[in-house]
Amino acid sequence: MTDSVFRGRETTRHLSLTYSGAVDLMKGGNPQMTLYDDTLELLQTMVRNACVNDLTADSGEEYRNAITLEEFFKDTPNVEVQRFEPHPGRVSVAFTVPGTDDTAEPLTLLGHTDVVPVDIDRWSKDPHGGELIDGRIYGRGTMDMLFITATMAAVTRELAHRGRPRGTLTFVGLADEEARGGLGAKWISEHEPEAFSWRNCLSETGGSHLPVADGSDALVVVVGEKGAAQRRLHVTGDAGHGSTPFGRESTVAKIAEVARRISLIKPPVSSDELWQGYVKAFRFDATTEQALLEGTDPAAYEKFGRLAGYSDAMSHLTIAETVIRAGGAINVLPSKAHLELDIRPLPGTTDEDVDAILRESLGDLADEVRIERLISEPATVSRTDGPLYEAILETFDEFFPGVPVVPTISAGGSDLRFGRRLGGVGYGFALHARERTLSDVFAQLHTHDEHLHLEDLDLTVKAYRSLVNAFVGA
């Protein structure tokens, strides 16, 4: 465990560091309070703590949510607490309920406590207010992913009050997920990998529904995520005065041509079982299905509706040109320029594969372009069998009997990849009402007026309680 000293900070009007909610029934609290009530109040408190991560080391200040969680677990029996603070204020905290059987499967719940910034002028609600309006809770992080984090905490605490489980249960409130975990899960996995088990992990997100073409239902479980292969492409040209460009090689024209050639890359469609199963789950007509599986008609993606962008990303390596830099003064011919690419590879695609694709697209310019690797992480995916996956299927069937479950891969990242790298399995798990499709969930991520239906919070609390009790043993 990281032995760190808490460093106090001033709070803003939104902060609500002390969890003042329901005392657990087994502690003699208000008999009207339920697990759902506890979860909702904790969620509101965490939203109001406003642990905003702007991707800089001194932002986030997740110590606020760490204090809230420590207060939430105060006086809870059978719980061991570990604190991690690799940078001042960037606090993660783990709560472990040791099992009674060393041979039983452990379970670790990975919930992050940071949220992304807001454009305050675009919000009609207080982004850090946690307001309850028309059956919804509004605020940054309500969907991503504080509602799951609060659920994990409440379910863990309830189980601890009932005694030690058969298998060890750990809940971790993690810092810095929105900046790829460098001061959170990534740091713990590299510096304190034995602090808790990574063997079976749950995190964000899952349990939404697919808009199947024939009107039937299907549930989503996230079993993996694409990797990162960020690149910076450098070119050089002739410097000089802007008044005399004659005979000089234009750096700007060269980087523009590089960008044009990169934009023409058309990676092949995946042939793996995840993509095939996802397409078939929609029950499209035979022509559309074939076009999607074989990659013969890009227009076929429109059949996915609001999921067209995600479906395209799930089906192949994507390359997004996001940043271009050249020059500084209007009267100076720049001698260097670069183009930055956000590249997301599928499982099995290596850094060497990515560089080869880029060089091939550059053609006769390849020798004039230097490829710099930035963040590079392989895609990770967990198997679609085994005890935890089976427990997810059984839990889904409990609430939506007979509904098929479709494993998918996330286009973005989550803390689950660190557990997979250490040899464990990890799945995105929550539960939404029938009306909430995968595109509805995506629409709330990092958006204005982010909100969660309270019906979905209730379902997620019930689903986590059922799965945790079944998996580690009440």
Side-chain angles (χ1 to χ4, degrees):
M1 180 182 77
T2 299
D3 184 13
S4 56
V5 178
F6 170 69
R7 299 161 176 79
R9 284 164 174 72
E10 293 184 3
T11 62
T12 72
R13 69 180 181 88
H14 289 303
L15 303 192
S16 182
L17 296 177
T18 300
Y19 175 80
S20 60
V23 179
D24 191 271
L25 291 176
M26 272 151 277
K27 295 173 65 179
N30 182 349
Q32 299 303 312
M33 299 304 284
T34 67
L35 182 61
Y36 168 83
D37 296 319
D38 285 350
T39 306
L40 177 57
E41 186 168 352
L42 177 59
L43 171 57
Q44 288 180 292
T45 304
M46 296 180 77
V47 170
R48 292 165 184 163
N49 283 342
C51 298
V52 178
N53 186 348
D54 65 10
L55 311 189
T56 61
D58 291 328
S59 68
E61 298 189 305
E62 296 91 344
Y63 75 90
R64 295 195 284 264
N65 274 334
I67 292 174
T68 292
L69 289 170
E70 289 167 336
E71 178 68 19
F72 184 78
F73 278 90
K74 185 178 180 181
D75 298 327
T76 301
N78 304 309
V79 174
E80 299 173 356
V81 183
Q82 296 169 284
R83 221 170 195 258
F84 312 88
E85 189 174 14
H87 185 85
R90 310 307 298 271
V91 179
S92 299
V93 59
F95 304 88
T96 297
V97 186
T100 59
D101 183 352
D102 291 339
T103 66
E105 292 283 347
L107 179 62
T108 301
L109 311 177
L110 303 175
H112 70 76
T113 61
D114 60 328
V115 300
V116 297
V118 301
D119 181 352
I120 188 68
D121 294 333
R122 302 291 299 276
W123 282 66
S124 65
K125 311 290 190 298
D126 183 347
H128 304 297
E131 299 172 274
L132 305 181
I133 303 172
D134 296 331
R136 304 174 183 181
I137 177 171
Y138 283 83
R140 176 58 86 218
T142 49
M143 182 68 79
D144 181 16
M145 64 169 285
L146 296 182
F147 88 100
I148 303 176
T149 303
T151 295
M152 292 171 166
V155 168
T156 299
R157 190 182 74 164
E158 186 203 46
L159 182 142
H161 274 294
R162 286 187 280 119
R164 289 176 60 187
R166 185 180 67 257
T168 295
L169 174 65
T170 300
F171 157 65
V172 194
L174 290 160
D176 204 35
E177 189 275 345
E178 297 294 355
R180 300 195 70 83
L183 297 174
K186 183 175 187 292
W187 188 91
I188 296 172
S189 70
E190 293 174 349
H191 296 86
E192 303 277 356
E194 304 299 324
F196 48 81
S197 172
W198 300 86
R199 180 180 174 87
N200 299 294
C201 298
L202 296 177
S203 190
E204 59 184 344
T205 184
S208 57
H209 302 258
L210 293 182
V212 183
D214 64 5
S216 61
D217 194 11
L219 280 160
V220 169
V221 58
V222 180
V223 302
E225 59 194 65
K226 298 180 76 175
Q230 297 176 356
R231 296 292 187 269
R232 182 178 290 141
L233 308 186
H234 298 266
V235 301
T236 59
D238 294 331
H241 198 287
S243 65
T244 55
F246 179 78
R248 302 182 190 275
E249 182 181 42
S250 171
T251 306
V252 172
K254 185 184 291 187
I255 197 66
E257 176 60 15
V258 167
R260 187 191 71 83
R261 296 187 185 189
I262 294 295
S263 71
L264 298 177
I265 296 175
K266 303 296 182 186
V269 168
S270 172
S271 60
D272 69 16
E273 293 182 357
L274 288 177
W275 173 242
Q276 292 180 5
Y278 175 79
V279 171
K280 292 176 181 178
F282 280 85
R283 301 186 181 182
F284 294 128
D285 61 87
T287 300
T288 298
E289 182 175 294
Q290 182 179 3
L292 291 167
L293 294 178
E294 297 179 1
T296 55
D297 182 10
Y301 285 94
E302 298 302 325
K303 294 286 189 177
F304 288 111
R306 291 192 297 158
L307 285 172
Y310 164 74
S311 302
D312 174 80
M314 182 181 172
S315 68
H316 60 260
L317 175 142
T318 56
I319 302 175
E321 299 171 304
T322 55
V323 177
I324 192 166
R325 299 264 193 261
I330 197 169
N331 63 341
V332 177
L333 298 173
S335 61
K336 59 183 179 180
H338 71 255
L339 170 69
E340 293 182 1
L341 308 174
D342 183 355
I343 303 175
R344 305 294 176 113
L346 289 168
T349 302
T350 67
D351 278 323
E352 290 71 26
D353 295 332
V354 171
D355 291 346
I357 291 170
L358 296 177
R359 291 193 184 95
E360 181 180 3
S361 73
L362 293 171
D364 60 359
L365 280 178
D367 291 339
E368 300 181 50
V369 178
R370 179 170 66 87
I371 299 176
E372 178 187 0
R373 296 180 182 178
L374 303 178
I375 293 177
S376 293
E377 296 181 315
T380 62
V381 64
S382 297
R383 64 181 187 265
T384 53
D385 60 14
L388 184 53
Y389 189 78
E390 293 300 323
I392 292 172
L393 297 185
E394 291 170 6
T395 303
F396 281 162
D397 193 62
E398 177 184 345
F399 293 90
F400 292 93
V403 173
V405 177
V406 182
T408 65
I409 187 167
S410 173
S414 79
D415 287 331
L416 289 170
R417 67 187 183 279
F418 304 113
R420 296 190 189 106
R421 290 177 192 171
L422 291 174
V425 295
Y427 305 99
F429 179 71
L431 194 58
H432 298 267
R434 174 71 174 86
E435 295 77 17
R436 244 74 72 203
T437 66
L438 182 59
S439 59
D440 292 324
V441 172
F442 285 158
Q444 292 304 316
L445 304 181
H446 301 188
T447 193
H448 312 305
D449 283 349
E450 180 183 349
H451 62 267
L452 173 79
H453 288 263
L454 295 179
E455 180 182 14
D456 295 351
L457 179 63
D458 184 49
L459 279 170
T460 296
V461 169
K462 291 175 178 175
Y464 261 93
R465 187 178 193 272
S466 178
L467 186 149
V468 167
N469 288 339
F471 193 79
V472 298

